Amino acid sequence: MTETILEVHPFPQPNMPVECMLLPLQSIFSRRGTDYSFDIPQRLHSYMVVLFTKGHGQHFVDFQTYPYQEKTLLFIAQNQVHQWQIDLENDGLVIAFSKEFLYKSAQDRELLESYRIFDYSLQSPMLTLSDQDYERFCLLFQEIKEEFGQSVPDAFRQEILRNLLRTILLRAERLKCAEALPTVLTHYSDFVRFKERVEHDYSRTRNVKDYAYALGYSPKKLNQLTKVVLNKGAKSFIDERVLLEIKRLLSHTSLSIKEIAETTGFDEPTNLVKFFKRYTRQTPTMFRDYFSHS
C-alpha cells in the first residue's frame, strides 16, 4: 500500500506562462519506475481530458474500473483519485488544465463545475465517440498540439488555446446532454448547488436538514431533487460522498482509523466503523488489508 495518494500539482511550473499542457499518453506511460511514476493512485489538482487513439485497457477512478478503447474520451475532475493502467501499446493525447486558465470570471468557473462530463456522481467518466465525432476531436486536439509546438509563442497563443479547449469541452458536454433525460437537465443546475455544498461540508455534517436549509429548501424538496436527478435520496448521496473519502484514505494513506474518523466528521472511531460496515459489509481494516495486498 502506498503511504499517501500521489498529489499531482501540474501548475504552476517554471517557464510555463499558461496553466494548460498537452502530453502524449506514451510520455506518461514511459515514466513508470521513475521518481514520478503514474501507475499508482493519484489525486490530480487540475482537470484532465484524455483522447485514446490506439489500444484498449482500463482506467481506475474512485474505486471504479472503466474500460476504454480507441475513440474514447476520458474526463477526470479536479481532486478525483485515479490510476493509470500502464500499457506501452496504447496511445492518446492528454490535456491537463487549471480552472483558472479556462475561465477568468467566477461565473464562468461555476459553469465549468456544472459540466456533466466532470460529474463523478452522475455517470461514467468515459465517452465513446462515433467515427465522425472522433475525427472532430482529433482535429481539435491536433490544433492544440500544434499551438504548443510553435517555437516562439505570441500574444495570441493563450486565447487560442483557451478557445480550443472550450470547444472540446462544449462538444463533449453536448454529447453527454444528448444522452440525458429532459427532467434531469431541467433540475441539474439545482443539483450542482447541492453537490457543491456537500463537497464543502461533508466532513462537518451528514444531516439532510442542514443542507436543505443552507440551500433554501425544505428537506422534502431536496429529496425530490436528488430522486429526479440521481434516483436516490439526499441522505444516500451525502453518505456516498463520505464513504468515498473514507475509502480513499484507507486505501491510499497510512492514517489511523481514529485520524480518518476525525477527518471525515465522526465523533468516535466506532461510529465510523459502524457506518462503513453498513454500506460495505466489511470493516475498515478488512478493506485496507485488501488494498495493502493487491
Side-chain angles (χ1 to χ4, degrees):
M1 181 175 61
T2 56
E3 285 298 308
T4 60
I5 301 171
L6 176 64
E7 303 286 344
V8 180
H9 295 268
F11 310 112
Q13 288 191 12
N15 303 318
M16 184 178 288
V18 297
E19 294 191 352
C20 177
M21 66 171 67
L22 183 143
L23 296 170
L25 189 60
Q26 286 281 330
S27 69
I28 292 176
F29 286 172
S30 63
R31 292 190 181 189
R32 187 177 186 181
T34 67
D35 293 337
Y36 197 39
S37 180
F38 276 82
D39 60 346
I40 62 174
Q42 56 198 259
R43 192 195 309 271
L44 185 65
H45 292 268
S46 68
Y47 290 82
M48 186 174 75
V49 182
V50 185
L51 177 64
F52 294 102
T53 59
K54 177 185 176 184
H56 59 86
Q58 299 180 111
H59 199 83
F60 308 99
V61 185
D62 284 333
F63 306 97
Q64 297 293 323
T65 302
Y66 298 98
Y68 68 82
Q69 56 189 358
E70 62 182 34
K71 303 179 184 178
T72 302
L73 280 171
L74 164 68
F75 303 92
I76 303 294
Q78 182 171 295
N79 296 325
Q80 279 193 286
V81 174
H82 73 109
Q83 185 174 356
W84 297 98
Q85 182 187 61
I86 305 298
D87 188 336
L88 295 177
E89 296 298 317
N90 294 352
D91 207 356
L93 292 169
V94 181
I95 298 175
F97 63 94
S98 70
K99 181 166 54 178
E100 290 73 21
F101 167 74
L102 187 61
Y103 293 118
K104 292 302 182 183
S105 72
Q107 183 178 2
D108 282 343
R109 289 196 294 272
E110 289 173 4
L111 177 64
L112 171 62
E113 293 172 354
S114 72
Y115 279 175
R116 293 169 54 86
I117 52 177
F118 290 112
D119 189 347
Y120 66 87
S121 64
L122 206 57
Q123 72 263 307
S124 165
M126 300 290 186
L127 183 60
T128 303
L129 302 172
S130 67
D131 290 345
Q132 185 179 38
D133 287 325
Y134 175 67
E135 290 179 7
R136 288 171 175 166
F137 280 102
C138 281
L139 289 173
L140 290 166
F141 273 74
Q142 187 61 35
E143 284 196 55
I144 290 179
K145 183 178 180 180
E146 290 175 1
E147 192 64 34
F148 276 118
Q150 291 188 17
S151 57
V152 182
D154 56 29
F156 300 100
R157 168 182 276 188
Q158 183 163 314
E159 201 58 37
I160 289 173
L161 289 171
R162 186 177 292 116
N163 281 289
L164 287 169
L165 180 55
R166 282 175 175 161
T167 302
I168 287 172
L169 299 182
L170 287 168
R171 284 192 177 277
E173 185 70 4
R174 172 190 281 172
L175 294 175
K176 277 292 184 184
C177 287
E179 301 173 350
L181 295 172
T183 52
V184 173
L185 293 176
T186 300
H187 297 281
Y188 186 65
S189 61
D190 292 328
F191 167 71
V192 168
R193 291 180 59 226
F194 169 55
K195 185 182 72 169
E196 291 173 349
R197 178 66 65 169
V198 171
E199 195 65 28
H200 186 266
D201 290 341
Y202 70 83
S203 63
R204 184 183 63 82
T205 178
R206 299 188 301 278
N207 194 316
V208 173
K209 288 184 179 179
D210 292 338
Y211 291 99
Y213 296 154
L215 296 169
Y217 295 159
S218 67
K220 180 180 179 180
K221 183 178 179 181
L222 183 57
N223 273 302
Q224 290 173 339
L225 171 66
T226 58
K227 285 179 180 177
V228 168
V229 177
L230 299 174
N231 197 30
K232 68 180 67 171
K235 177 62 173 171
S236 294
F237 177 76
I238 297 165
D239 284 354
E240 286 173 5
R241 179 61 186 92
V242 175
L243 184 65
L244 171 60
E245 197 62 25
I246 295 171
K247 287 181 176 180
R248 287 173 172 176
L249 296 171
L250 284 170
S251 60
H252 305 319
T253 79
S254 56
L255 293 175
S256 68
I257 303 300
K258 181 180 179 180
E259 290 171 322
I260 293 174
E262 293 172 352
T263 300
T264 52
F266 290 87
D267 295 334
E268 297 289 341
T270 53
N271 292 333
L272 180 146
V273 173
K274 291 176 183 178
F275 174 88
F276 194 83
K277 286 181 68 176
R278 184 166 76 248
Y279 284 101
T280 67
R281 298 185 179 181
Q282 58 184 324
T283 66
T285 302
M286 292 168 60
F287 181 86
R288 170 169 273 174
D289 286 345
Y290 171 81
F291 278 90
S292 67
H293 294 97
S294 62

